[in-house]
Amino acid sequence: MVKQTIQIFARVKPTVRKQQQGIYSVDEDEKLTPSLEIILPRDLADGFVNNKRESYRFKFQRIFDQDAKQETIFENIAKPVAESVLAGYNGTIFAYGQTGSGKTFTITGGAERYSDRGIIPRTLSYIFEQLQKDSSKIYTTRISYLEIYNECGYDLLDPRHEASSLEDLPKVTVLEDPDQNIHLKNLSLHQATTEEEALNLLFLGDTNRMIAETPMNQASTRSHCIFTIHLSSKEPGSATVRHAKLHLVDLAGSERVAKTGVGGQLLTEAKYINLSLHYLEQVIIALSEKHRSHIPYRNSMMTSVLRDSLGGNCMTTMIATLSLEKRNIDESISTCRFAQRVALIKNEAVLNEEIDPRLMIIRLQKEIQELKDELAIVTGEQRTEELTEAEFLQLEKRITSFLEDQDPESKLEVGADMRKIHHCFHYLKKLLNDKKIHGTSIASSEIKDQNSQEPLKEEEYKKLRDTLQQRDNEINILVNMLKKEKKKAQDALHFSSMDRSELRCSQSSPFPPGNPEGPRMLPPSAPTQAPDSSTSQYRSSLLHGKTGMREEMSLGRQEAFEIFKRDHADSVTIEDNKQILKRRFSEAKALGESINEARSKIGRLKEEITQRHVQQVALGISENTPVPLTPDPLEEKLRSQLEEEKRRYKAMFTHLKALKVEIEHLQLLMDKAKVKLQKEFEAWWAEEATSLQVNSPAVNSLNHMKPFPQTPESQHERSQLLSNKSSGDWKVPDQGPQVVSCSDVYARKILPSPGPLLHSQEQSSPSTPLEDRIPERPVSSVPLTGDSRTDSDILAFIKARQSILQRTGFQ
Ligand code: ADP
Ligand code: MG
């Protein structure tokens, strides 16, 4: 058992403005425990805290100032926890702080650079690296990803995400067994056999979370995310299994609303926006106070899920993320105060070991067999599963003579064989029952009679046994068939995933598909068990589903999307990452080639050494001289060359492995960025459409089936709309032929045909000459539909066109 208080660390986010650094100071020199001093600026102190303290000092295990790298955070905070998880203890790391203070950056990582990857990807990488090194145990790694929003639990890895929205999925609920262990219903566990698979699950969950988020549901600030690595290990042949869980928790923003905000009450009266953080604080207060018997874990889902991490069987670490700018000073002080309380909580981590019943059965079966063998040696008789026919007959004869024997001292001797003893009892019971049924005493003559009937019963008995044997055989065959079917299905899954990855290779990999040396030389990823629910396949289909929306877009919308994309800030990142990815691919390709070269060189050197050896021996034989004791210098040289080449090969191989992880990570970052962009475009598009519906007089008139009321503005808009279409074959008699400008051509590309809108007009005012209003071509080519969605789409197109033209400087 390891007793330990919760470790607390502070991380200060880089400030945008340098001059604000005077707000705090980090004192690393204090004996062993460094401290963070937050200095209240004069104006704030005057305004709010009024003659109160002007600086606050908080102690932490360590304080990571603005320049701390992600690597340092991992090495100092997460690695020790990951190590204890590998040793079989539960671990938790949670980030606490206001929105924007760097919780997600610390736990998951930044969305742009590979070097910004946070604790989760680095921990996964570290754990899988250690598992690969340790061949003394068999490990199983599974992943779950839970989001808690508004006291409801959602499974971020639920494969049904693609089809339904978060709210429609079954909620994750907390169940408690009689031993007060917590179980989470509807939370899926996904086996990950490699770092790559685990990383895919992380990105899949993050993407699902992002997609579910709307401006109304600010999931990223209001929800808690718990990424859990479940690790089981056992030594080969042992029935003891160790289970350890590592929770990596990104909490909701800890910002509070000030209730009063005057008279120095700001720091005490403020209330959390998030209710479960309030309950978390209650639990922390209860735990940090001595002599409290009741800890209110059950008040919220989050405290129930993290029950073991808080005052239980777990090694827990908290990272207080701080954004130390003037306007955040009160929130930063709250965060530090919370951390000081957390630091008082004592946990007791124990090794979670249990006996696997299946393994126990196997062990016992083995023991039985060994005992049987020993018995056979002692008795000199090979013991079969059942008695033979002859043995049965012999026993029954003995029973009969025992019963017939009038001597009260007579004994029934069958030897120290439980099978025989049992049979005797059965037989005696049977005789007794028969006697009861017939209501007559068992005379020896009757026993003899029965004995004479025995052959018949024997026959029946034999028949039944044969049937039983037959059934047994049938069952065995069926079980084997089932196993084969299952294996086939798994193989198919495996192959299909291989196919996919090969496809991906053929599309984007630096290793040509025909070159078997390429991907196969990468670290062995062949899973010992088929990956659960084919996660990577699911990820790619999901991402494709989300990014593939464009395929269904109209041309105009696609065009708008292209512009939106080009102007979006993220496109720089995507482009940068694309470039880096390209470079990494060519690096990987070059490395792959060098590895192949090194391999063939190693082969050649080995060949040369063998040849040289053979030559030396042959020379020795032909000259009849013994093989010289001193080593052959040429052979020595070849050997040292070989060693050198092998070292080079190994170094390149390790580098290629790292490159592979980086490439995968970058691809996932880009996938995620694409989904985000698409989502933002959809939101912008919808917003444009709504604002148009609210503001545009055209809409009001549309509702009355009059798309172009004769107001000056709408007339202007209409003429503008029509003028964009007028290149001679679109008639606008009112205005006469228009000159096609650059913007016309451009606008035509993105402007949809205004068919339904004009069609409704046609119906509403049949007396108006058609040419007056309708361009000829669109009317004939557009289906006559009154779908309101199409109408609003068209309005959105018009608005979008205007906004795009403004953005692109055409208007
Ligand atoms: P939170 O999850 O606490 O709301 P984020 O992690 O999303 O905050 O951080 C807000 C912004 O600040 C993000 O754009 C993030 O990239 C950036 N950021 C946070 N911490 C750091 C850091 N240590 N170094 C660089 N950028 C950071
Ligand atoms: Mg966040």
Side-chain angles (χ1 to χ4, degrees):
M1 193 200 303
V2 183
K3 284 192 182 186
Q4 200 185 42
T5 50
I6 297 185
Q7 309 282 298
I8 55 163
F9 296 91
R11 182 183 201 184
V12 184
K13 185 187 143 176
T15 43
V16 186
R17 279 162 292 179
K18 282 274 173 258
Q19 72 267 25
Q20 293 203 334
Q21 282 179 354
I23 285 177
Y24 74 97
S25 72
V26 177
D27 191 353
E28 290 278 10
D29 294 336
E30 278 195 28
K31 283 176 203 108
L32 294 173
T33 31
S35 73
L36 175 78
E37 189 180 14
I38 300 183
I39 302 137
L40 234 63
R42 278 245 159 253
D43 49 346
L44 260 191
D46 288 346
F48 292 130
V49 197
N50 224 1
N51 299 329
K52 292 230 162 174
R53 289 162 60 186
E54 285 186 4
S55 80
Y56 293 80
R57 189 174 281 276
F58 303 100
K59 286 186 188 303
F60 287 93
Q61 236 88 37
R62 260 193 83 167
I63 298 154
F64 297 93
D65 211 345
Q66 302 190 25
D67 49 2
K69 297 262 170 305
Q70 295 284 62
E71 174 72 25
T72 320
I73 299 288
F74 169 74
E75 287 290 329
N76 289 281
I77 301 179
K79 201 168 157 186
V81 183
E83 265 159 14
S84 60
V85 170
L86 285 165
Y89 295 96
N90 290 339
T92 298
I93 301 175
F94 68 93
Y96 181 98
Q98 70 184 108
T99 299
S101 58
K103 295 182 298 296
T104 307
F105 187 85
T106 304
I107 297 289
T108 310
E112 293 175 13
R113 280 176 297 271
Y114 179 62
S115 58
D116 280 349
R117 66 202 191 285
I119 287 178
I120 300 179
R122 284 173 197 268
T123 305
L124 287 173
S125 185
Y126 179 74
I127 286 180
F128 279 104
E129 195 186 316
Q130 298 306 309
L131 299 193
Q132 250 185 5
K133 277 188 200 160
D134 183 7
S135 53
S136 69
K137 290 199 189 82
I138 302 158
Y139 289 96
T140 317
T141 318
R142 281 170 302 167
I143 305 285
S144 64
Y145 205 175
L146 169 71
E147 177 175 31
I148 302 174
Y149 180 70
N150 261 349
E151 275 307 296
C152 289
Y154 300 99
D155 181 0
L156 288 175
L157 301 179
D158 191 316
R160 283 164 291 185
H161 257 293
E162 197 178 0
S164 26
S165 74
L166 210 58
E167 284 76 16
D168 299 334
L169 294 176
K171 306 264 182 299
V172 178
T173 47
V174 179
L175 303 177
E176 202 177 310
D177 67 16
D179 299 330
Q180 298 201 323
N181 294 317
I182 296 292
H183 302 274
L184 294 170
K185 200 178 149 206
N186 291 332
L187 182 68
S188 55
L189 280 179
H190 299 256
Q191 191 164 336
T193 43
T194 58
E195 179 187 347
E196 206 177 330
E197 279 176 27
L199 207 60
N200 271 336
L201 289 167
L202 168 68
F203 276 82
L204 176 67
D206 281 346
T207 310
N208 279 336
R209 186 187 189 202
M210 186 172 76
I211 285 162
E213 191 180 54
T214 61
M216 289 299 290
N217 136 25
Q218 278 289 310
S220 58
T221 54
R222 299 283 177 87
S223 71
H224 316 278
C225 274
I226 306 179
F227 183 88
T228 309
I229 307 168
H230 307 249
L231 194 69
S232 313
S233 64
K234 97 178 178 64
E235 278 165 24
S238 154
T240 317
V241 189
R242 274 188 192 173
H243 298 285
K245 272 188 256 179
L246 173 57
H247 293 307
L248 300 167
V249 189
D250 185 355
L251 289 178
S254 66
E255 51 272 18
R256 297 154 192 241
V257 238
K259 229 184 174 182
T260 60
V262 282
Q265 297 292 297
L266 183 74
L267 296 175
T268 45
E269 283 291 308
K271 291 267 175 286
Y272 285 105
I273 295 177
N274 192 295
L275 195 64
S276 30
L277 280 181
H278 165 73
Y279 289 124
L280 175 67
E281 185 166 30
Q282 301 272 297
V283 167
I284 305 267
I285 291 172
L287 283 167
S288 56
E289 282 173 2
K290 277 181 191 160
H291 317 302
R292 274 284 288 264
S293 55
H294 174 68
I295 310 292
Y297 289 113
R298 288 203 192 126
N299 278 351
S300 85
M301 178 159 191
M302 208 228 324
T303 45
S304 301
V305 175
L306 293 183
R307 184 184 186 136
D308 259 343
S309 315
L310 306 164
N313 168 20
C314 190
M315 296 198 185
T316 303
T317 296
M318 168 185 167
I319 308 171
T321 53
L322 302 164
S323 169
L324 279 165
E325 292 186 28
K326 202 160 120 185
R327 62 194 154 90
N328 293 332
I329 222 100
D330 49 341
E331 287 298 346
S332 305
I333 291 173
S334 291
T335 302
C336 291
R337 280 187 171 172
F338 182 84
Q340 305 301 297
R341 275 221 194 91
V342 168
L344 299 176
I345 299 173
K346 263 208 182 84
N347 281 1
E348 286 179 9
V350 290
L351 280 178
N352 308 298
E353 287 184 334
E354 66 176 29
I355 307 284
D356 185 334
R358 282 170 311 158
L359 296 172
M360 200 64 190
I361 291 170
I362 295 170
R363 221 163 96 179
L364 289 174
Q365 279 173 340
K366 210 173 139 209
E367 201 175 312
I368 290 171
Q369 190 52 50
E370 279 168 9
L371 288 171
K372 273 185 185 169
D373 293 346
E374 269 177 44
L375 204 62
I377 294 167
V378 174
T379 58
E381 272 178 40
Q382 198 60 43
R383 183 160 292 199
T384 49
E385 204 52 32
E386 282 179 27
L387 294 169
T388 60
E389 287 301 315
E391 280 172 321
F392 277 127
L393 276 176
Q394 201 191 16
L395 267 181
E396 280 154 25
K397 256 185 206 154
R398 274 194 197 175
I399 295 168
T400 315
S401 54
F402 168 69
L403 289 173
E404 280 173 349
D405 197 340
Q406 299 300 318
D407 183 1
E409 299 281 299
S410 70
K411 280 183 185 168
L412 179 60
E413 299 275 6
V414 289
D417 187 338
M418 286 315 286
R419 298 168 306 165
K420 291 181 179 170
I421 295 170
H422 283 310
H423 185 72
C424 286
F425 279 121
H426 279 151
Y427 194 71
L428 283 168
K429 190 176 172 184
K430 190 171 148 255
L431 290 180
L432 213 68
N433 283 346
D434 285 353
K435 188 187 153 196
K436 268 188 203 159
I437 290 165
H438 299 304
T440 53
S441 66
I442 304 166
S444 59
S445 59
E446 279 176 314
I447 294 170
K448 273 177 192 156
D449 273 344
Q450 275 193 356
N451 272 345
S452 66
Q453 286 170 9
E454 274 307 304
L456 187 74
K457 295 211 163 178
E458 273 298 324
E459 234 173 61
E460 257 181 72
Y461 181 53
K462 207 163 167 277
K463 222 169 119 188
L464 280 171
R465 272 213 330 204
D466 285 345
T467 322
L468 202 67
Q469 186 62 44
Q470 239 175 342
R471 293 285 170 274
D472 265 351
N473 289 343
E474 276 170 24
I475 289 170
N476 280 339
I477 293 167
L478 285 170
V479 167
N480 278 338
M481 274 168 68
L482 261 173
K483 276 186 189 158
K484 272 186 200 151
E485 281 306 311
K486 200 172 154 198
K487 194 167 176 299
K488 253 195 236 164
Q490 281 178 345
D491 284 350
L493 243 174
H494 183 64
F495 281 127
S496 68
S497 70
M498 267 177 34
D499 279 349
R500 260 192 320 283
S501 60
E502 265 172 35
L503 191 69
R504 191 158 155 181
C505 281
S506 66
Q507 284 170 347
S508 55
S509 163
F511 313 106
N515 174 9
E517 303 299 332
R520 242 166 261 171
M521 286 189 42
L522 293 175
S525 60
T528 42
Q529 282 162 290
D532 190 24
S533 80
S534 58
T535 50
S536 47
Q537 166 197 8
Y538 168 48
R539 176 191 74 91
S540 61
S541 78
L542 177 104
L543 290 180
H544 179 78
K546 303 294 175 192
T547 49
M549 283 189 278
R550 271 189 64 209
E551 282 159 23
E552 294 146 29
M553 278 188 202
S554 66
L555 261 159
R557 204 150 138 172
Q558 268 189 38
E559 200 79 37
F561 178 68
E562 287 306 323
I563 295 164
F564 184 87
K565 191 167 84 179
R566 198 189 60 203
D567 292 354
H568 196 283
D570 281 0
S571 67
V572 183
T573 314
I574 295 178
E575 204 41 53
D576 281 356
N577 275 341
K578 227 188 236 171
Q579 294 309 323
I580 298 176
L581 203 57
K582 257 191 202 159
R583 281 205 297 277
R584 294 290 176 270
F585 264 120
S586 34
E587 264 175 65
K589 192 178 172 187
L591 210 56
E593 279 162 9
S594 310
I595 286 178
N596 284 343
E597 271 168 27
R599 237 159 70 107
S600 11
K601 198 161 171 198
I602 288 171
R604 275 201 307 276
L605 282 168
K606 277 185 181 163
E607 184 73 12
E608 275 181 50
I609 290 170
T610 323
Q611 270 178 13
R612 177 74 191 165
H613 209 74
V614 171
Q615 267 175 14
Q616 290 292 96
V617 174
L619 203 71
I621 293 170
S622 67
E623 291 178 0
N624 210 5
T625 51
V627 180
L629 285 173
T630 49
D632 169 29
L634 186 66
E635 192 180 320
E636 282 297 291
K637 199 176 149 216
L638 285 172
R639 278 196 192 284
S640 75
Q641 269 181 12
L642 180 70
E643 285 314 307
E644 177 55 34
E645 208 53 45
K646 275 185 181 168
R647 264 197 297 280
R648 220 169 68 85
Y649 177 85
K650 218 172 154 187
M652 288 193 294
F653 191 80
T654 319
H655 188 183
L656 188 64
K657 211 165 123 183
L659 264 181
K660 193 193 165 213
V661 174
E662 184 175 348
I663 286 172
E664 177 72 16
H665 195 102
L666 284 170
Q667 274 172 339
L668 289 168
L669 281 179
M670 278 175 55
D671 282 350
K672 207 167 129 185
K674 278 183 200 158
V675 175
K676 182 166 166 263
L677 195 73
Q678 178 76 47
K679 206 183 148 239
E680 284 176 15
F681 171 72
E682 296 297 335
W684 170 79
W685 187 261
E687 203 181 287
E688 291 289 314
T690 337
S691 73
L692 197 77
Q693 277 185 341
V694 173
N695 299 329
S696 166
V699 174
N700 300 334
S701 59
L702 181 84
N703 292 338
H704 300 103
M705 304 298 272
K706 282 182 203 150
F708 292 122
Q710 302 304 308
T711 60
E713 306 99 84
S714 65
Q715 251 183 343
H716 172 69
E717 187 167 305
R718 171 188 151 234
S719 63
Q720 238 195 357
L721 166 70
L722 294 179
S723 76
N724 283 329
K725 299 283 175 192
S726 58
S727 63
D729 46 2
W730 283 40
K731 285 185 206 152
V732 189
D734 285 355
Q735 313 256 322
Q738 303 283 312
V739 178
V740 181
S741 71
C742 172
S743 70
D744 290 335
V745 174
Y746 188 71
R748 179 137 19 105
K749 269 212 282 181
I750 61 165
L751 192 74
S753 61
L757 190 133
L758 294 160
H759 166 65
S760 62
Q761 186 197 30
E762 181 192 3
Q763 282 185 331
S764 65
S765 50
S767 59
T768 324
L770 205 62
E771 313 77 58
D772 255 358
R773 303 179 186 279
I774 312 160
E776 282 158 6
R777 201 191 289 164
V779 168
S780 57
S781 63
V782 166
L784 306 178
T785 146
D787 178 11
S788 64
R789 198 176 52 110
T790 326
D791 291 338
S792 66
D793 253 356
I794 290 161
L795 293 166
F797 284 135
I798 299 167
K799 185 74 191 271
R801 189 208 75 197
Q802 284 173 342
S803 123
I804 289 162
L805 289 179
Q806 274 162 11
R807 280 153 71 106
T808 48
F810 279 119
Q811 216 175 38

